[in-house]
Amino acid sequence: NAYLLAENGVIFNKDKTVLLGYLPGKPDVFYTVPASVTKLGESSFSNVPALTSVTLPNGLKSIKDYVFCDCPNLTTLNLPSSLESIGWHSLWSIKVSSIVVPENITQLWDLFLSRCPELTSVELPSTLTKMSGDVLADDPKLKTVTCKAATPPTITAAVFKNTPIASARLIVPAGSKARYQAAEGWKDFGTIVEY
């Protein structure tokens, strides 16, 4: 094919910079995305029950919509610091216990990290300005959110829908606690502390 490259059940564009699709029936539990890949295409790992661990390359710039959506056994996933954008529904219904969203991410979209039954902690970057929709909804075990932004990112009430933030801890930069206590959505955390 002049435009596509297939390797062991994984489809790439010809120069191997975009991972377009990982076959849902592939039985492997671990996968390392090649170092040449800078973009994970829409739904590229969607609905792959066998995967428990995916290693992303340091040069990865973009995770499109629905990429890891509905990978119910995915427990190990670290987002590289090179990342510049993350699509909506991208980490929906996976089994990670914690996620660090890297610096340079300015917005998080609907259902980014929702319905994650084992998620206990999330770290959000200082560059974050806005979260839209049910970004961290239906995460029953979420106990700690660290937000490194000195100004509380704009959020809607739905961001933490059905997530028990009244009993969770929000950790914010020194000098910003009062702003978070007054900010819509953020003020609903049970405990707000500065680091």
Side-chain angles (χ1 to χ4, degrees), residues 23-87:
L23 295 183
K26 222 166 125 51
D28 309 34
V29 292
F30 306 113
Y31 182 69
T32 299
V33 175
S36 58
V37 172
T38 58
K39 180 164 85 175
L40 299 180
E42 188 171 313
S43 304
S44 48
F45 286 90
S46 179
N47 194 21
V48 183
L51 274 178
T52 62
S53 171
V54 175
T55 303
L56 301 175
N58 283 326
L60 189 70
K61 301 266 190 244
S62 172
I63 293 177
K64 300 310 257 185
D65 300 342
Y66 298 100
V67 168
F68 294 103
C69 174
D70 223 358
C71 289
N73 296 303
L74 185 60
T75 55
T76 305
L77 182 74
N78 294 310
L79 302 177
S81 59
S82 55
L83 210 55
E84 293 170 359
S85 67
I86 304 174

Side-chain angles (χ1 to χ4, degrees), residues 8 12 24 44 53 74 111 122 130 191:
N8 303 318
F12 302 91
S44 48
S53 171
L74 185 60
L111 302 168
V122 175
K130 185 177 181 184
T191 312

Side-chain angles (χ1 to χ4, degrees), residues 76-79 86 91 94 96-102 112-113 116 119-124 136 144 146:
T76 305
L77 182 74
N78 294 310
L79 302 177
I86 304 174
L91 307 185
I94 63 173
V96 293
S97 60
S98 67
I99 280 282
V100 175
V101 178
F112 157 63
L113 197 57
C116 296
L119 187 70
T120 59
S121 73
V122 175
E123 183 180 297
L124 302 170
L136 289 158
T144 307
T146 302

Side-chain angles (χ1 to χ4, degrees), residues 98-178:
S98 67
I99 280 282
V100 175
V101 178
E103 293 293 317
N104 298 322
I105 298 297
T106 58
Q107 295 192 44
L108 293 172
W109 304 101
D110 202 17
L111 302 168
F112 157 63
L113 197 57
S114 293
R115 289 209 193 154
C116 296
E118 300 303 323
L119 187 70
T120 59
S121 73
V122 175
E123 183 180 297
L124 302 170
S126 66
T127 47
L128 191 67
T129 59
K130 185 177 181 184
M131 294 200 285
S132 304
D134 301 8
V135 176
L136 289 158
D138 300 296
D139 292 332
K141 293 186 180 177
L142 189 62
K143 290 279 174 268
T144 307
V145 174
T146 302
C147 189
K148 294 162 91 177
T151 300
T154 305
I155 65 175
T156 57
V159 163
F160 297 107
K161 189 171 78 185
N162 300 329
T163 293
I165 61 170
S167 58
R169 190 166 65 135
L170 176 63
I171 303 170
V172 299
S176 66
K177 180 177 175 179

